[in-house]
Amino acid sequence: NIETAKKGLVLISFSDLNVVNIQEIHKLIKQVSPLIDLKFLSYIKNTKALDNVDLPEEWIVITKKDLNFNLVPKDISAFSSDVIFDFTTKFQFPLLFTLLNSNANTRMGARREWNVDFLDFMIKTDESKGFNYTARQLVHYLNKIYRNNAA
C-alpha cells in the first residue's frame, strides 16, 4: 500500500537529470505516502558523464562496473523498496531489470512501451510537458483514488 510505504525508488533516465526537481518530487509523493524515504536511480554507460556533475545525496547512479556481464545489477537488494516509480524516458535494461526484480509491492509510473506490462498503476501524459508534469499528474490521480476509497 503506497500510503504506508516507507521506502521508495524512483527510476529516472540519466539524460533527464537536469529537468528533474527532486524537492518537488519528494513533496508530491509525500502527499500520498507521508512516511516514504525516496531514492532516485539512474544508469549511464559512460562514467565520464559523471564528471562535473554534483548529484544530490539521494541520487544513485549505476554504471557498467555495477553490472554483471549480462547488464544485471550485481546487488539488486541494494535497491529494495516498498514502491517503485518508473519515470524513465528511454529503455535501459538495468533499470527495467531493477523494476522487474525488485521486492516492491507496488510499481507505478509513466506508461512507456517497455514497461506497460510491468506496472500496477500507470498514466499516459503528453511527454512534451516534461518529467515534473508527469509526476504531478501521477500524484493527482493517486490522491483521487485514495480520497474516493477513504470516503
Side-chain angles (χ1 to χ4, degrees):
N1 186 335
I2 189 170
E3 293 173 303
T4 58
K6 291 185 173 45
K7 291 173 68 177
L9 185 64
V10 182
L11 305 178
I12 300 177
S13 301
F14 187 79
S15 57
D16 294 326
L17 173 70
N18 295 326
V19 298
V20 175
N21 182 332
I22 287 185
Q23 289 78 20
E24 181 179 3
I25 302 306
H26 273 284
K27 183 180 170 186
L28 286 168
I29 292 176
K30 283 195 177 271
Q31 289 176 21
V32 291
S33 186
L35 305 174
I36 202 162
D37 176 37
L38 286 178
K39 297 288 184 195
F40 295 77
L41 181 66
S42 294
Y43 165 72
I44 57 168
K45 290 180 185 177
N46 184 354
T47 57
K48 289 183 182 185
L50 288 173
D51 293 348
N52 303 317
V53 175
D54 187 26
L55 292 171
E57 179 181 319
E58 59 268 83
W59 203 304
I60 303 162
V61 176
I62 55 176
T63 63
K64 285 192 283 187
K65 69 177 176 54
D66 302 307
L67 306 175
N68 292 328
F69 71 94
N70 55 355
L71 298 178
V72 171
K74 292 177 185 174
D75 186 11
I76 195 76
S77 66
F79 311 119
S80 70
S81 61
D82 301 315
V83 61
I84 288 187
F85 300 91
D86 183 358
F87 290 120
T88 54
T89 54
K90 61 182 179 179
F91 174 80
Q92 294 177 306
F93 184 79
L95 295 181
L96 182 62
F97 185 88
T98 302
L99 174 71
L100 295 175
N101 291 283
S102 166
N103 64 338
N105 295 325
T106 307
R107 294 165 177 81
M108 56 184 62
R111 183 182 192 272
R112 308 279 188 240
E113 66 183 61
W114 58 86
N115 69 9
V116 69
D117 293 329
F118 312 116
L119 296 176
D120 302 309
F121 180 80
M122 69 188 92
I123 60 167
K124 178 79 174 151
T125 62
D126 182 351
E127 291 179 38
S128 69
K129 293 187 178 184
F131 175 88
N132 296 307
Y133 173 80
T134 300
R136 284 191 299 274
Q137 290 299 300
L138 178 72
V139 171
H140 169 78
Y141 287 106
L142 286 172
N143 274 323
K144 283 188 170 291
I145 290 168
Y146 285 109
R147 282 191 200 125
N148 285 341
N149 286 341

